[in-house]
């Protein structure tokens, strides 16, 4: 059979993730220091793993409610109220999913009609545009700029809105720039969303990983915004639980119920083992999370200072675990810079263009890597730029 003509047109048109494409180059190579993959280098804290083991020991090996364990939804609602200052009804406004990834996909599929436009600020997480297209939407990037520290500029946003725009995706702190949105910017964005009747999908997966004592503000907590926001969060980053594949959506009941329709037929439920571990994370995971965050904080400061002192301009990102240095002064494209750094000096970092065209001239370095590795990577990067 000729499968090339059998694949759905809108899927065939989606390009492969730039990150994966780049990391194919790394496969099988020795001595590579990776600042590439956006994943905590910590193992999930022991008490959380122990809760997972205990869940299995007790023989909890069944499906759960499609919405997720009631106990977990209650703890999520409690945590979200304390951390994001927004209250949700645990039985109707919370859906437990397989990572933020699934929550994100469900939300788009639940709200988009073919041709509806989805705006997102770029450079951005690699999944946003493909997921919008897979849900038959039209993905449209709104560029962000180094001068604004990659926070979304409300004026630029408003100019991008058309009568077909239905959804705005926000992600603060941002992957890959580490950007945070100052409260006044978030308020201006909220006013625009209300004025143009937009739905906001707010991916707040890095919200605990904020530095410099700046508290996280969710757009859902601003006046008039809870009713139009789908808040997406999960356990992967702050609790170092990527492999547990657990996330959730909090939103008004009608959209949760629409998302649930898709979830029950496509996924059924998230793993019970992961859900029981997540209850433990929410109840007792704060200390371990703060320790990990403090360690990222130290690494961020070191990496940003080293890059700037060797002559690579790099803003101080407010959150997540990425730095996004400006490599344009060296006269190479992002892709050339990253490929040569990898091939000649064995440091893997991701070209900014993997996160959209507005990432040209930048490089994403993830600092969720051992301190010694970061130091050595900096030594190699310095040697590399001295050859240019
Ligand atoms: N959203 C952003 C911004 C991410 O960076 C990632 C993973 O890197 C995800 C979502 C996926 O999260 P999860 O592991 O919860 O599916």
């Amino acid at each position: 059979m000729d499968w090339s003509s059998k694949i759905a047109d809108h899927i065939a048109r989606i390009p492969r993730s730039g990150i994966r494409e780049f990391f194919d180059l790394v496969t099988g190579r020795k001595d590579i220091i990776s600042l590439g993959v956006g994943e905590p280098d910590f193992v999930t804290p022991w008490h959380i793993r122990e809760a997972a083991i205990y869940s299995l020991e007790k023989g909890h090996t069944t499906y759960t409610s499609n919405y997720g364990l009631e106990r977990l939804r209650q703890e999520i609602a409690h945590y979200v109220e304390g951390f994001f200052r927004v209250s949700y009804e645990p039985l109707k406004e919370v859906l437990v999913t397989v990572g933020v990834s699934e929550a994100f996909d469900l939300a788009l599929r639940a709200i988009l009609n073919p041709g509806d436009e989805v705006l997102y600020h770029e450079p951005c997480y690699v999944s946003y545009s493909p997921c919008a297209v897979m849900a038959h939407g039209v993905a449209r990037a709104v560029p962000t700029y180094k001068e604004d520290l990659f926070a979304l500029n409300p004026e630029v946003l408003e100019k991008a809105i058309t009568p077909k725009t239905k959804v705005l995706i926000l992600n603060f702190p941002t992957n890959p720039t580490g950007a945070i949105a100052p409260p006044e910017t978030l308020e201006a964005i909220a006013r625009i969303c209300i004025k143009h009747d937009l739905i906001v999908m707010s991916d707040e997966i890095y919200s605990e990983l904020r530095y410099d004592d700046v508290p996280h503000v969710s757009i859902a907590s601003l006046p008039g915004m809870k009713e139009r926001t789908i808040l997406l969060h999960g356990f992967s980053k702050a609790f170092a639980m990527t492999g547990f594949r657990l996330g959730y959506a909090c939103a008004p009941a009608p959209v949760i119920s629409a998302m649930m329709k898709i979830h029950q037929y496509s996924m059924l439920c998230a793993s019970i083992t992961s859900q029981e571990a997540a209850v433990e994370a929410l109840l007792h995971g704060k200390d371990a999370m703060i320790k990990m965050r403090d360690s990222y904080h130290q690494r961020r400061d070191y990496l940003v200072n080293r890059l700037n002192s060797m002559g690579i301009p790099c803003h101080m990102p407010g959150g997540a675990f990425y730095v996004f240095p400006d490599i344009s002064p060296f006269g190479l494209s992002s892709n050339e810079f990253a490929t040569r750094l990898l091939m000649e000096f064995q440091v893997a970092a991701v070209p900014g263009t993997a996160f959209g065209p507005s990432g040209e001239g930048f490089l994403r370095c993830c600092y969720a890597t051992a301190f010694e590795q970061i130091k050595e990577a900096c030594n190699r990067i310095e040697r590399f730029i001295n050859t240019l």
Side-chain angles (χ1 to χ4, degrees):
M1 173 165 310
D2 174 16
W3 279 100
S4 59
S5 63
K6 304 286 180 202
I7 305 300
D9 295 341
H10 71 298
I11 301 297
R13 277 196 296 271
I14 294 173
R16 283 182 73 209
S17 155
I19 298 191
R20 283 291 136 228
E21 208 152 82
F22 191 72
F23 277 93
D24 284 352
L25 297 172
V26 173
T27 314
R29 296 210 41 173
K30 300 224 168 16
D31 291 341
I32 291 197
I33 298 180
S34 180
L35 304 180
V37 183
E39 179 156 18
D41 63 323
F42 295 102
V43 176
T44 308
W46 171 242
H47 67 102
I48 300 174
R49 281 183 279 153
E50 208 172 28
I53 295 165
Y54 190 41
S55 160
L56 288 169
E57 269 180 3
K58 284 183 289 187
H60 293 178
T61 54
T62 57
Y63 295 129
T64 68
S65 147
N66 297 129
Y67 280 97
L69 290 172
E70 191 174 322
R71 174 88 202 281
L72 176 58
R73 283 181 281 146
Q74 268 158 356
E75 289 307 332
I76 289 171
H78 183 68
Y79 180 82
V80 166
E81 182 157 19
F83 185 70
F84 294 102
R85 307 263 160 238
V86 199
S87 71
Y88 291 97
E89 158 54 49
L91 301 188
K92 290 195 186 132
E93 296 184 320
V94 178
L95 177 65
V96 177
T97 57
V98 179
V100 167
S101 304
E102 194 216 351
F104 189 79
D105 180 48
L106 294 178
L108 285 171
R109 287 205 274 158
I111 56 186
L112 292 184
N113 283 313
D116 285 341
E117 273 178 14
V118 178
L119 296 184
Y120 54 92
H121 52 104
E122 195 202 82
C124 66
Y125 180 49
V126 292
S127 297
Y128 294 160
S129 166
C131 282
V133 172
M134 288 192 280
H136 302 284
V138 176
R140 291 193 41 231
V142 183
T144 58
Y145 303 98
K146 186 184 163 191
E147 296 67 37
D148 299 322
L149 297 175
F150 295 101
L152 176 57
N153 181 322
E155 282 174 27
V156 180
L157 167 66
E158 191 155 27
K159 284 197 188 114
I161 295 170
T162 76
K164 291 202 159 171
T165 308
K166 188 167 188 181
V167 183
L168 171 65
I169 299 169
L170 295 179
N171 171 225
F172 297 116
T174 307
N175 175 8
T177 59
I180 55 174
E184 55 286 3
T185 303
L186 219 50
E187 280 158 19
I189 293 171
R191 281 195 296 274
I192 291 169
C193 292
I194 292 170
K195 181 173 154 196
H196 295 274
D197 194 24
L198 301 186
I199 295 165
V200 175
M201 283 176 51
S202 189
D203 176 350
E204 308 202 23
I205 191 164
Y206 294 101
S207 50
E208 287 91 351
L209 303 181
R210 293 192 56 143
Y211 311 112
D212 312 314
D213 295 325
V214 182
H216 179 73
V217 177
S218 169
I219 195 159
S221 69
L222 301 183
M225 290 307 292
K226 182 193 160 188
E227 65 185 65
R228 63 179 62 250
T229 301
I230 305 173
L231 193 155
L232 307 170
H233 197 24
F235 297 84
S236 288
K237 311 292 175 170
F239 295 104
M241 290 176 67
T242 47
F244 284 80
R245 309 304 308 122
L246 209 67
Y248 52 90
C250 298
V255 68
I256 288 292
S257 136
M259 289 168 68
M260 171 37 201
K261 257 193 215 167
I262 310 169
H263 174 75
Q264 73 183 350
Y265 293 128
S266 58
M267 198 62 67
L268 221 154
C269 67
S271 133
I272 188 169
T273 317
S274 298
Q275 292 192 55
E276 294 200 333
V279 171
E280 171 65 21
L282 292 177
L283 286 177
H284 305 117
K286 194 170 173 192
D287 289 351
M289 188 249 284
I290 288 172
K291 262 196 199 147
M292 292 188 272
R293 188 195 62 196
D294 289 349
S295 167
Y296 296 138
H297 191 163
Q298 264 191 326
R299 303 178 209 184
R300 176 202 68 163
D301 291 353
Y302 175 84
L303 184 53
V304 171
N305 289 334
R306 271 298 298 273
L307 290 168
N308 280 305
S309 63
M310 69 177 82
I312 305 183
C314 184
H315 68 281
M316 186 63 87
F321 39 49
Y322 309 103
V323 297
F324 206 58
D326 177 358
I327 47 97
S328 61
F330 300 98
L332 299 176
S333 72
S334 294
N335 207 42
E336 285 163 347
F337 190 99
T339 307
R340 285 189 55 186
L341 179 62
L342 176 64
M343 294 305 179
E344 297 170 26
F345 287 85
Q346 291 77 49
V347 176
V350 186
T353 42
F355 309 97
S358 37
E360 183 54 273
F362 296 88
L363 193 69
R364 189 193 79 173
C365 304
C366 173
Y367 52 85
T369 299
F371 208 71
E372 287 311 310
Q373 297 271 89
I374 294 174
K375 278 188 188 161
E376 176 54 21
C378 287
N379 296 340
R380 294 184 190 186
I381 293 171
E382 191 160 17
R383 289 208 296 277
F384 171 52
I385 59 168
N386 286 339
T387 66
L388 297 177

